[in-house]
Amino acid sequence: MNNLYIAKLNRLKDSKQPTKSKLANFFIDNILRISSFTISSVAEETQTSYATVCRFLQEIGFSGFKEFKKAVSEDSREQNLSNLVFSENFLDFTHHDSFETISKRISDFAINVTRNSFKAISEKDAHFLHDAFKNAKHIHFFGLGTSSVSANYAYIKFFRLKSCCSYSSDIVISKMSSSLLEKGDLLFLFSSSGRTKAVIEAAKIAKSKKITVVAISDYINTPLCRWADITICTTVRDANKFLDTDFPLIQGQITIIDILYKYLFFRWEKSSAENKNTTLTAIKGDKE
């Protein structure tokens, strides 16, 4: 299902505000039969009020209950494919599998990951990141292992929009960089599992200094997500169930980066075009 509102529900289910926690858990538990409810019946079931349910729906990105139901219904129609592609053994192959079988299943997987990534970030979050980018004096990208590829890719894209960007795939350097960031700066943290200790520590350091933290992970419920101002997930899966599963989800992270880059590029079209032309001119000789 749409990892945007599912991710928000999962974050709110442990909210310190009892009403939000109660509503989040109710919607998670009843997501597949949500069409049978009305706002009034939800309010009755959760012992809240009509107005409270409406405000909660707005918080997770919907104008009303009708829009929420429509989104759930549309996602349910796609769920069979999603379950197939993200099943634990979908990418388990044997020496008996043909090249055609392997290539088709890998391609189906990549297509579905990309489709999920399209829904991973809302326009509201994009606006928030636009302002954060604009106001930040420094932007740092950090990831380890495979996630360092995504972090480096993001750095290469975004420093052409704003030169005050840096990148690290080193644990010590990342902690040093996080400690030197100041209030209003921006820290992008990439972790496929959302459980990488060094990445989480960098997030904790940043949050203690009121630095905006953006977590890009492959799962909706991870330790890293709890330290982020914005969490962007490539799937709706729970990392607890897939800790030993090797999913090549980097294409989802790259898609998210491309979406954000293009959005910001056209918001700063004049300066972005100038920076892009300048950097292309600088490397022109290297491509001949």
Side-chain angles (χ1 to χ4, degrees):
M1 292 195 177
N2 183 322
N3 46 337
L4 181 59
Y5 67 80
I6 292 294
K8 288 181 177 179
L9 287 173
N10 273 278
R11 291 188 68 183
L12 289 170
K13 71 180 184 179
D14 297 318
S15 173
K16 294 180 180 179
Q17 300 181 42
T19 299
K20 289 185 178 181
S21 176
K22 186 183 296 184
L23 283 167
N25 279 286
F26 175 82
F27 283 125
I28 290 171
D29 293 341
N30 296 280
I31 198 70
L32 295 180
R33 58 189 191 94
I34 205 65
S35 61
S36 63
F37 289 94
T38 63
I39 294 181
S40 296
S41 62
V42 171
E44 183 178 353
E45 291 278 347
T46 57
Q47 296 181 324
T48 57
S49 68
Y50 189 99
T52 299
V53 175
C54 290
R55 285 195 298 269
F56 182 84
L57 290 170
Q58 289 174 356
E59 183 167 347
I60 62 173
F62 297 96
S63 60
F65 200 39
K66 183 177 181 180
E67 184 183 6
F68 178 56
K69 284 184 176 182
K70 181 179 179 182
V72 173
S73 176
E74 290 175 350
D75 286 344
S76 294
R77 286 197 292 269
E78 298 177 3
Q79 195 63 16
N80 287 336
L81 177 59
S82 296
N83 283 335
L84 171 65
V85 171
F86 290 114
S87 64
E88 294 176 78
N89 60 0
F90 186 77
L91 295 181
D92 286 344
F93 300 105
T94 71
H95 65 278
H96 297 295
D97 291 321
S98 66
F99 173 78
E100 181 179 1
T101 297
I102 293 172
S103 60
K104 185 178 186 309
R105 287 170 67 181
I106 291 290
S107 296
D108 287 345
F109 186 91
I111 290 169
N112 205 56
V113 169
T114 303
R115 180 167 55 234
N116 273 277
S117 301
F118 167 71
K119 301 176 181 180
I121 182 166
S122 69
E123 187 172 354
K124 180 180 178 181
D125 287 343
H127 288 320
F128 177 88
L129 287 172
H130 169 272
D131 293 338
F133 260 94
K134 185 177 181 179
N135 297 324
K137 293 181 179 179
H138 193 88
I139 303 164
H140 188 67
F141 300 87
F142 172 53
L144 294 172
T146 304
S147 295
S148 69
V149 177
S150 300
N152 189 36
Y153 180 77
Y155 163 69
I156 292 171
K157 298 288 284 191
F158 287 120
F159 97 99
R160 300 169 81 174
L161 299 179
K162 198 164 183 176
S163 59
C164 60
C165 293
S166 61
Y167 154 76
S168 175
S169 60
D170 180 273
I171 294 175
V172 175
I173 296 298
S174 71
K175 289 183 180 179
M176 293 170 62
S177 297
S178 298
S179 67
L180 291 173
L181 293 175
E182 299 177 351
K183 182 179 179 179
D185 287 341
L186 189 56
L187 178 62
F188 274 80
L189 296 174
F190 293 78
S191 174
S192 180
S193 68
R195 294 174 174 275
T196 307
K197 184 178 179 181
V199 176
I200 295 171
E201 289 179 352
K204 291 180 179 179
I205 293 171
K207 288 302 295 178
S208 70
K209 302 183 68 177
K210 300 186 184 303
I211 293 156
T212 301
V213 176
V214 180
I216 298 183
S217 176
D218 292 331
Y219 303 99
I220 61 174
N221 187 21
T222 69
L224 175 61
C225 295
R226 298 173 198 137
W227 292 95
D229 294 283
I230 289 183
T231 300
I232 307 173
C233 308
T234 59
T235 78
V236 300
R237 313 302 287 185
D238 187 334
N240 291 318
K241 301 176 183 177
F242 294 90
L243 288 177
D244 298 321
T245 305
D246 182 21
F247 281 164
L249 296 171
I250 190 171
Q251 63 266 45
Q253 297 177 9
I254 296 299
T255 301
I256 289 167
I257 294 164
D258 284 338
I259 291 170
L260 286 174
Y261 169 76
K262 191 60 68 175
Y263 175 79
L264 294 178
F265 183 93
F266 286 110
R267 291 302 171 279
W268 305 327
E269 187 167 2
K270 183 178 179 180
S271 60
S272 298
E274 290 174 353
N275 290 347
K276 184 176 181 180
N277 290 333
T278 300
T279 55
L280 287 175
T281 299
I283 62 173
K284 183 176 180 181
D286 297 323
K287 293 187 174 183
E288 293 177 350

